[in-house]
Amino acid sequence: MSLNTEVHGVGTNATVAEQHAQEAQKAGKLEKQRTAPGNFHHHLHLHRFSHLASMATGIELLVAAALCVACPALNESLPANLIQLSGDGNMSMSTEMPIDIDASDVGLDNDTPVETLDTIINKKLRLREMRDWIKGKHLRIATLEDYPLSYTEVLENGTRIGHGVSFQIIDFLKKKFNFTYEVFVPQDNIIGSPTDFDRSLIEMVNNSLVDLAAAFIPSLSDQRTFVSYSTTTLDEGEWIMVMQRPRESASGSGLLAPFEFWVWILILVSLLAVGPIIYVLIILRNRLTGDGVQHPYSLGHCAWFVYGALMKQGSTLSPIADSTRLLFATWWIFITILTSFYTANLTAFLTLSKFTLPYNTVNDILVKNKHFVSMRGGGVEYAIRTTNESLSMLNRMIQNNYAVFSDETNDTYNLQNYVERNGYVFVRDRPAINIMLYQDYLYRKTISYSDEKIHCPFAMAREPFLKKKRTFAYPIGSNLSQLFDPELLNLVESGIVKHLSAKDLPSAEICPQDLGGTERQLRNGDLMMTYYIMLAGFATSLAVFSTELIFRYVNSRHEANKWARHGIGRTPNGQSIKPSRWLRGWQRLDSGQKQLLGTSTLGQNVTPPPPYQSIFNGGHGNAAGAADPRHRWRRAMGQGNGVLLGNDPSTDGGVRRLINGRDYIVFRNPDGQNQLVPVRSPSAALFQYTYTE
């Protein structure tokens, strides 16, 4: 029942005003009615009546009636678009509300300006007009071959139909607004950019060759000058890296796995520095205290002690001073703790299958100059080539041919050709990666049912390579976004878009980084560092051995040259020396003929050294009275060529001396040098062997 038909008299006006005031207060809509255009004075008086009627009794009603007589006449003509209250308290309109809008839920606050209601109503009217306009229309929709979000199929009659999440959304809009469409794909299947505009998707949209681009298009800065992105974000796209699953953790393997690189560096530094530090402190302590009991150890002994403690070996050093003992004990405690941590972590690294990938972030790709591949004309390429985008620092990798952008839309081909065969990193958006790995997993499951290493030869990084919001695109100036975007927002907020992106995937994660295996046999790769240490030790010993040979050779050549100048067995001062065994085999000149040193002298006129017995027989002839030619050496001594010490006949030309607890005959050689000849039988036998062999 309308308001103007209910107001007839004073009492009636008061009653009706009281009823409407109570109903409006319950609904919370009185202020909205008061601010309706063209009805301000009417509602002002209505408010006055409602206030008076709430406390009007008896005479007060008469006073209110008198006041009403002085009121101006009511305006019985209703303004356009007036929201009214019906008899049951519900709001009604004199004109029909716009599309799908409940009159009781216009979404206005108490302090909303008057113009807002007109704006909302006009907007809804335009949407209704657009909805009427699009009915039966035939739209041209462009898309990309971007499985599974958008892809197409060409039927036998040549008709191209769209599939994927994008066209599931388009089909929903089609049923909602009753239109038809046909699908087009750009010739190069690329999004496009200002420098890559020809034969691209944004060229078709910018030239209005299509009415809408139905694909998950990343929102890039350079493309905004050519197309208009939808105000509703379909999702936040994440591009993920896929690579070959490494056989070992990127944090380390084998003997080096328990500690980080810098920990090993500090251990090496301490190993080299602690020995000299202990040596210096011991020297300093002795000089400051003047203690003569604690003898300082040599630098070599201190360094060997440090190394032996690291290998958990004992030491023959036994320090007496307390400060030196504390130095030794401190190093032992440090080594004990260090080796305990190392042993525990080594066990964990060798027995657990959990590992980290070598490439997890963009920085890893950049620092290690790793080759990677992505889709030609996709979001990754334009994010790298555009200066003000987040991946612009990778632009030099394109110049150095570390980045490859494939024209092949088949992700399985890119995975096998680039990742499996060439070891590239494949960068692709998450829905495509998940579908690709799942299909590869199902195929490899038919090859081996239980071997997880065959099931999952690829691993996916956890950190996204790129994150970008993705939307539909319209030609600049198109009003389709006003009609479609509210519906897209409902689909996104309800989770339908996210559900459609993952509906073909299992709930479990496909081929995670940690495969979850608890039993693991050690491989040669785990023990490779042990082999390296052995090879390094053998190589070092071989190098030292080669150095020794070189030095011996150099010294031997020097000695051989000295003999060539001064004669065989003679030094520059005339001393008799014996050739080194290393020279027995080298050639030298003797009387103009070549002879190998150390070769047999049989048949040659070489006088051997005198027998040991000739020293004590006085150099006399034999029983036949003939002189023994072997006594020529001893006779020379007796005839003045050599001076016998002591000149005692009982010693037969020599002096008997006790040296270091052993008996020797001391005599003087013809060259003036003293010679010791042992007297005891074992030593004499060795002496005789030395001079005769």
Side-chain angles (χ1 to χ4, degrees), residues 486-504:
E487 303 298 333
L488 296 178
L489 181 61
N490 293 333
L491 295 177
V492 173
E493 291 180 344
S494 61
I496 294 178
V497 174
K498 184 177 181 180
H499 167 73
L500 293 176
S501 300
K503 68 182 182 66
D504 295 330

Side-chain angles (χ1 to χ4, degrees), residues 81 154 163 195 226 253 275 287 289 297 328 334 359 394 415 445 461 471 487 494 507 526 547 626 638 661 667 677 684:
N81 301 328
V154 179
H163 297 286
T195 58
F226 299 95
S253 62
R287 291 189 177 183
T289 60
Y297 301 120
F328 281 38
F334 170 75
Y359 310 101
L394 297 178
L415 185 69
K445 193 79 172 179
T471 63
E487 303 298 333
S494 61
S507 56
D526 300 323
T547 306
F667 62 92
V677 178

Side-chain angles (χ1 to χ4, degrees), residues 212-229:
L212 168 66
F216 281 64
I217 305 172
S219 180
L220 300 172
S221 57
D222 284 357
Q223 282 80 349
R224 293 183 181 274
T225 58
F226 299 95
V227 297
S228 175
Y229 292 114

Side-chain angles (χ1 to χ4, degrees), residues 547-563:
T547 306
E548 291 177 350
L549 290 179
I550 293 174
F551 276 104
R552 287 179 179 270
Y553 171 74
V554 172
N555 293 334
S556 300
R557 295 294 299 177
H558 177 71
E559 190 175 353
N561 293 334
K562 181 173 58 177
W563 287 358

Side-chain angles (χ1 to χ4, degrees), residues 29 32 83-86 88-93 95-108 117 120-121 124 131:
K29 305 296 184 178
K32 299 175 183 178
I83 301 177
Q84 304 183 44
L85 291 175
S86 61
D88 56 358
N90 295 326
M91 302 180 68
S92 62
M93 294 190 64
T95 58
E96 182 182 0
M97 284 292 292
I99 307 170
D100 297 335
I101 291 296
D102 188 1
S104 62
D105 189 15
V106 294
L108 297 179
L117 183 60
I120 294 177
I121 294 175
K124 300 305 178 183
R131 187 170 185 174

